[in-house]
Amino acid sequence: MNSPARHYPARHLDLAGMGRPAAPLPASTRAEPFAASLRPTLHSNGPSSPALAGDPLADYRVPSQPYYRPLSDEIELFEAAYAVRMPVMIKGPTGCGKTRFIEHMAWRLGKPLVTVACHEDLTASDLVGRFLLDAQGTRWQDGPLALAARLGAICYLDEVVEARQDTTVVIHPLSDARRMLMLEKKGEVLHAHPDFQLVISYNPGYQSLLKDLKQSTKQRFAALDFDYPEHEVEVEIVAHESGVDRDTAAKLVHIGARARNLKGHGLVEGMSTRMLIHAGSLIARSVAPLTACRMALVRPLTDDADMRDVLDAAVSTYF
């Protein structure tokens, strides 16, 4: 059985889809500015129309509707936060659909999505921008955060706790009432476009004294908690995203649930929805279920021989 064709927007990383999408907002209610006075015809920090500049955010637009299955009222809550341009923090385990949710909301709101995969070598200049040398001389190059703030996109800092704390403090002026970004090297104070919103995400399971957000950062954001879906919903998601039949998807979800019970008892993390979709995708390509599960579920999760035997036994129970 071949898996159905799926279209994911470029420049985004997470594959954990979340089911039946909600209907898009009517055009009249999409991305309403939070005040009529913030609806200028010419923005001081950028072109008045993307067409005039060849749409510099074209590569960041979500061209088609990402598959997302709402689990609760997270769509309505995010829309309310965007209406007042409140920064949002998404917390949840790896592979549970955080990035897919943000992609879906960017499509639903009709806004470009600038994604930054945070890491320990990320510097403030990587986010804000720097001067570059070319054949014409020295020119300023906006970083992804400055680009989103200047032109009115959603900026998504994925796994923000992986970045150093002296880097993440650069977002403080953007995530409070000032809504500004200091371009110190350029000598410019960049006031955020009215459509700009800042979103961050991280996995609380990886928190430590060295990898956590400062309270001064956390308290600038509203927060949404994500987790793995309930059984029937996860079966629906795995079946849709991988292309396997519902019975096979249910077996994969049962295996995932058993592995999650081992978190903290030999496993650092359980099997994510993303991993279950990977296994289903292999099965849909005619890979033997036992082989697909060992390749996509067991081997990536642990190198401990005893724990692998336990997980292999769980897989054998269903396949």
Side-chain angles (χ1 to χ4, degrees), residues 33-117:
F34 52 90
S37 61
L38 295 179
R39 191 178 291 162
T41 57
L42 179 63
H43 193 267
S44 60
N45 291 321
S48 59
S49 169
L52 296 179
D55 193 0
L57 291 172
D59 288 342
Y60 300 96
R61 298 190 183 277
V62 184
S64 59
Q65 180 178 3
Y67 178 76
Y68 180 76
R69 170 64 157 80
L71 303 182
S72 183
D73 57 354
E74 65 271 22
I75 288 179
E76 292 77 13
L77 291 174
F78 190 94
E79 288 174 349
Y82 184 81
V84 294
R85 304 307 187 266
M86 185 182 297
V88 176
M89 173 168 41
I90 310 294
K91 299 190 291 183
T94 181
C96 71
K98 300 186 295 294
T99 298
R100 179 61 64 84
F101 171 70
I102 299 304
E103 290 174 351
H104 178 81
M105 293 311 302
W107 169 83
R108 185 173 170 85
L109 294 166
K111 294 300 172 187
L113 178 63
V114 178
T115 300
V116 180

Side-chain angles (χ1 to χ4, degrees), residues 20-216:
R20 183 175 304 158
L25 290 173
S28 60
T29 60
R30 286 191 187 184
E32 286 189 346
F34 52 90
S37 61
L38 295 179
R39 191 178 291 162
T41 57
L42 179 63
H43 193 267
S44 60
N45 291 321
S48 59
S49 169
L52 296 179
D55 193 0
L57 291 172
D59 288 342
Y60 300 96
R61 298 190 183 277
V62 184
S64 59
Q65 180 178 3
Y67 178 76
Y68 180 76
R69 170 64 157 80
L71 303 182
S72 183
D73 57 354
E74 65 271 22
I75 288 179
E76 292 77 13
L77 291 174
F78 190 94
E79 288 174 349
Y82 184 81
V84 294
R85 304 307 187 266
M86 185 182 297
V88 176
M89 173 168 41
I90 310 294
K91 299 190 291 183
T94 181
C96 71
K98 300 186 295 294
T99 298
R100 179 61 64 84
F101 171 70
I102 299 304
E103 290 174 351
H104 178 81
M105 293 311 302
W107 169 83
R108 185 173 170 85
L109 294 166
K111 294 300 172 187
L113 178 63
V114 178
T115 300
V116 180
C118 296
H119 53 84
E120 61 184 8
D121 292 327
L122 187 74
T123 66
S125 293
D126 293 330
L127 288 176
V128 172
R130 53 171 54 91
F131 283 103
L132 300 176
L133 285 173
D134 58 20
Q136 284 72 45
T138 304
R139 63 182 176 86
W140 173 261
Q141 176 68 53
D142 275 341
L145 183 62
L147 179 71
R150 192 183 297 279
L151 298 180
I154 296 172
C155 185
Y156 174 45
L157 304 182
D158 188 18
E159 295 297 344
V160 68
V161 295
E162 296 298 326
R164 301 194 309 263
Q165 290 185 341
D166 60 340
T167 296
T168 55
V169 294
V170 75
I171 69 176
H172 283 190
L174 272 177
S175 52
D176 58 27
R178 291 171 290 175
R179 284 177 59 86
M180 63 174 61
L181 182 63
M182 311 300 181
L183 307 181
E184 295 177 359
K185 293 182 179 179
K186 193 182 179 185
E188 177 186 355
V189 176
L190 172 59
H191 294 275
H193 189 286
D195 290 345
F196 169 77
Q197 186 188 30
L198 182 62
V199 181
I200 63 175
S201 74
Y202 70 98
N203 181 353
Y206 294 150
Q207 280 184 260
S208 68
L209 292 176
L210 297 178
K211 286 193 173 182
D212 194 9
L213 293 177
K214 294 181 176 181
Q215 282 296 322
S216 59

